[in-house]
Amino acid sequence: MPLQNKHLAVVLQNTYLPFIFEEAEAFGIKVTFFYNQEEVEPKHLKNVQNFIPIDLFHTPDKALEIIKAEHHKNPFDGIMTLYEPALEFVSQLTEELNLPGLSPFVISNCRNKQKMREVLKDNDLNTPYFKEVENTEELKNLSLPYPVVVKPSNGFSSQGVSRANNKKELIDSIEKVRRVNEEDLSKFTKNKTGMVIEQFIDGPEFAIETFSVEGEVYVLSIGYKGNSKGPFFEEGVYIAPAQLEENVWQSIAREAARAANALGIEDGPAHIELRLDPAGKPYVIEIGARIGGSGISHYIVKESTGINYMELVFYYVLGLKPPVLKNERKRKRVVGNYIIPVQGYGIFKEIRGLEDVRRDTEVKRVIQFITKGTDILPYPHFSGYPGFILTTHDSYSDCEQYYSYLDNKVKIVYKNKVNA
Ligand code: ADP
Ligand code: CA
Ligand code: CA
Ligand code: CA
Ligand code: CA
C-alpha cells in the first residue's frame, strides 16, 4: 500500500462534500486540513488528523507562512485543493516547497478566461469569438456575433455569467458582470477584474474528467450537463456516462485532451466543460486543473466507471507513480448529480420532499448546503447551491425518469417568497 501513512495537506474544502477525506482514510493517508477560519472547526471529520485555520482570502501571506511553518514541523508529502479560487495559492506553495503540482504559470492560464482562450486559440482548438473588455466604451467599434455570453475574467460557479441577444442586453449584462466583479468576486480575485465576451455556443454541454500522466491525457468520463440557453447558467444536472455515439464520444474526448495538453496540464486531474455547436463541433467552454465540483467529479467517475479518481490524484500529489491507465471508454452504471434548483430568491426556509427522497433506493447521498434564514439572491448572483442529490441507476432513461420525479417532488420554500 504505497499511499499508506503518507501525509497530505488539504487546503480549504467544502466539508459537506467529504469525498477527499473519506478516500484519504480508506488509503491510510494522514491529513492536515487547512480550513477556512471563518468556519467552525470541522471536528466532525473523523478522518482528519490535524485541523489548522487559515484566512486565505484576507491574509494570504499569513496563510502561506502558517502552512510553511507546519510543513517544517511535520512535513507533507503533498498539498492539494479542490477549490477553484485556491488553486493559485496552492501552486505557489507546491512550487516553493518543491512538492508535486502544476506551476503557477499553468494555473493562472487556466484561471483567467481570456488567457485560457488565447492559449486554446494559439493551439488550434475550436475557438468561439472572444474579447476581453473593461467597460461599455469599448463596445463602440465592435461588431459582435450575437447571441453572446459575458463573464467575469476570473469568475467561478457561473457567477455573473449571462447571455445577451443584442446590444441593449449586452450593455445590461456588462453592468451585471461589473457588479458581480465588484460585490461578489472581489474578495477572491482582488484587483483581477475584467470580463470576457464570447460567442454563445448553442448546443448540449458535457463535463469531461481527465487525468494526465507525463503529458498523456486519459479521458476517464464524459457526462451530460444539460443544454441551458441562459440568460443565466445555473447548474442543473450531471449524468454520466452521457449517451453518445462512439464517433461523437471520440471527438469530444480528443478536443478535451488537446485542451489539457495546450494549457500544460501535464500531470494530474482536469475538469473540462465543453459544448457541441449545431453542427456537432466541440468547443471547450473552460478547464479547471482540479477534480471538479469539490469532489463531485470523483463520485461521478468512481460510480460510473469503477475508476477511483481521487486515488489517482493522491498518487500524483504525493509524489508516487500512479497505476497504469488505459485509454478506453469504461462503463459500469449510470450515475447522476441532481442539483436542486434555486427556484426563486428570498429568505430560505426549507427544502420540501428531501426526507422522502433520502429513502429512495436510487439515492446514495443527499447534501443540503443552505440553512434556514439564509438570504438567497437572484441570479446571476450566486448564493451557493441549495443541495445535491447523488444517485445511481441501471439505465440512462431510469435516471431521466427519476429526475422528472424530483422536479416535482423537491420544492424550496422561501419566507416572503419571490418565485422565479
Ligand atoms: P464559471 O467559471 O463561472 O463556471 P463558465 O465559463 O464555465 O464560468 O460559464 C458558466 C456556464 O455558462 C457554462 O457552464 C456554460 O453553460 C455557460 N457558458 C459559458 N460560456 C459559454 C459559451 N461561450 N457558449 C455557451 N455557453 C456558455
Ligand atoms: Ca477556468
Ligand atoms: Ca470555472
Ligand atoms: Ca464552469
Ligand atoms: Ca457549468
Side-chain angles (χ1 to χ4, degrees):
M1 284 296 278
L3 296 172
Q4 185 105 39
N5 290 322
K6 291 282 175 189
H7 185 194
L8 175 70
V10 174
V11 175
L12 303 191
Q13 171 63 30
N14 181 337
T15 60
Y16 291 100
L17 298 167
F19 303 101
I20 187 171
F21 303 119
E22 292 170 4
E23 292 293 349
E25 181 180 42
F27 290 105
I29 295 166
K30 289 181 296 182
V31 173
T32 295
F33 177 25
F34 294 95
Y35 67 98
N36 185 349
Q37 84 175 33
E38 288 169 345
E39 292 162 15
V40 286
E41 185 172 324
K43 284 211 186 77
H44 60 281
L45 294 171
K46 297 284 174 267
N47 15 36
V48 170
Q49 280 71 40
N50 198 6
F51 297 96
I52 299 173
I54 54 170
D55 194 357
L56 197 156
F57 299 109
H58 295 111
T59 53
D61 294 339
K62 193 173 160 209
L64 214 58
E65 286 317 311
I66 291 171
I67 297 177
K68 284 195 211 162
E70 188 59 28
H71 178 65
H72 289 300
K73 241 176 32 198
N74 191 2
F76 315 123
D77 298 296
I79 306 178
M80 72 187 275
T81 186
L82 309 180
Y83 189 45
E84 177 78 12
L87 285 172
E88 282 158 302
F89 176 84
V90 167
S91 75
Q92 188 185 338
L93 260 173
T94 54
E95 188 172 76
E96 285 184 32
L97 299 178
N98 203 17
L99 292 168
L102 297 171
S103 70
F105 174 77
V106 170
I107 294 294
S108 68
N109 280 346
C110 296
R111 275 292 295 134
N112 181 284
K113 292 183 202 298
Q114 171 71 13
K115 282 200 238 161
M116 181 205 73
R117 280 271 171 249
E118 285 166 8
V119 171
L120 295 183
K121 186 166 187 236
D122 290 347
N123 284 273
D124 296 321
L125 271 94
N126 299 331
T127 302
Y129 171 91
F130 70 101
K131 168 113 184 104
E132 188 163 43
V133 296
E134 284 288 341
N135 53 54
T136 46
E137 278 303 290
E138 293 173 60
L139 296 178
K140 284 205 176 107
N141 304 313
L142 293 181
S143 105
L144 292 169
Y146 291 104
V148 295
V149 168
V150 189
K151 43 182 151 178
S153 301
N154 296 285
F156 58 98
S157 301
S158 296
Q159 295 179 81
V161 182
S162 72
R163 168 177 167 160
N165 297 310
N166 51 54
K167 178 100 178 231
K168 188 172 163 285
E169 289 180 9
L170 178 61
I171 289 170
D172 191 46
S173 290
I174 286 178
E175 174 56 19
K176 285 199 176 100
V177 175
R178 197 190 58 73
R179 288 190 52 188
V180 166
N181 265 341
E182 223 163 71
E183 293 164 17
D184 305 347
L185 287 171
S186 61
K187 172 183 160 199
F188 302 103
T189 58
K190 302 285 180 295
N191 46 6
K192 294 181 214 151
T193 53
M195 53 188 91
V196 179
I197 300 173
E198 279 181 14
Q199 181 191 345
F200 177 72
I201 308 296
D202 194 355
E205 184 162 331
F206 299 91
I208 300 95
E209 315 296 352
T210 70
F211 185 74
S212 304
V213 183
E214 294 174 355
E216 180 77 29
V217 183
Y218 296 89
V219 172
L220 306 180
S221 150
I222 301 179
Y224 178 68
K225 288 279 288 164
N227 191 353
S228 173
K229 307 292 181 196
F232 307 125
F233 298 90
E234 180 177 359
E235 299 268 342
V237 304
Y238 185 175
I239 308 174
Q243 284 185 304
L244 296 166
E245 300 285 342
E246 183 63 21
N247 62 329
V248 181
W249 194 94
Q250 292 297 344
S251 98
I252 294 173
R254 198 180 320 118
E255 191 73 2
R258 288 179 61 217
N261 267 324
L263 282 154
I265 304 178
E266 294 266 303
D267 289 285
H271 172 75
I272 298 160
E273 295 170 334
L274 173 152
R275 280 189 183 225
L276 295 180
D277 78 358
K281 192 169 163 183
Y283 287 82
V284 167
I285 299 294
E286 69 151 353
I287 185 160
R290 55 182 165 82
I291 289 186
S294 296
I296 290 295
S297 297
H298 162 73
Y299 169 83
I300 295 280
V301 170
K302 189 178 180 188
E303 296 298 328
S304 72
T305 69
I307 299 168
N308 191 323
Y309 196 13
M310 197 71 76
E311 179 188 13
L312 295 176
V313 176
F314 286 155
Y315 271 92
Y316 164 55
V317 165
L318 296 169
L320 300 162
K321 209 173 155 54
V324 176
L325 288 165
K326 276 191 247 143
N327 244 327
E328 61 183 357
R329 196 175 166 184
K330 277 206 177 185
R331 273 175 284 196
K332 213 174 98 188
R333 66 167 84 82
V334 174
V335 312
N337 180 25
Y338 179 94
I339 301 164
I340 300 169
V342 174
Q343 304 166 28
Y345 54 92
I347 312 263
F348 173 76
K349 212 169 132 196
E350 61 174 327
I351 306 179
R352 285 216 184 117
L354 280 189
E355 279 322 304
D356 289 343
V357 165
R358 278 179 211 275
R359 285 192 288 270
D360 290 341
T361 53
E362 297 89 339
V363 174
K364 298 299 157 228
R365 276 184 216 230
V366 174
I367 302 152
Q368 182 177 330
F369 300 107
I370 39 173
T371 49
K372 198 173 170 176
T374 306
D375 195 6
I376 303 297
L377 299 172
Y379 269 86
H381 295 281
F382 175 71
S383 308
Y385 301 109
F388 293 165
I389 301 170
L390 296 166
T391 56
T392 64
H393 309 269
D394 292 331
S395 72
Y396 200 91
S397 60
D398 284 357
C399 180
E400 287 177 315
Q401 266 173 37
Y402 191 68
Y403 278 13
S404 309
Y405 161 78
L406 290 178
D407 287 342
N408 293 313
K409 177 80 185 170
V410 181
K411 294 287 173 220
I412 298 196
V413 185
Y414 293 102
K415 212 174 105 191
N416 315 323
K417 158 166 160 175
V418 195
N419 250 43

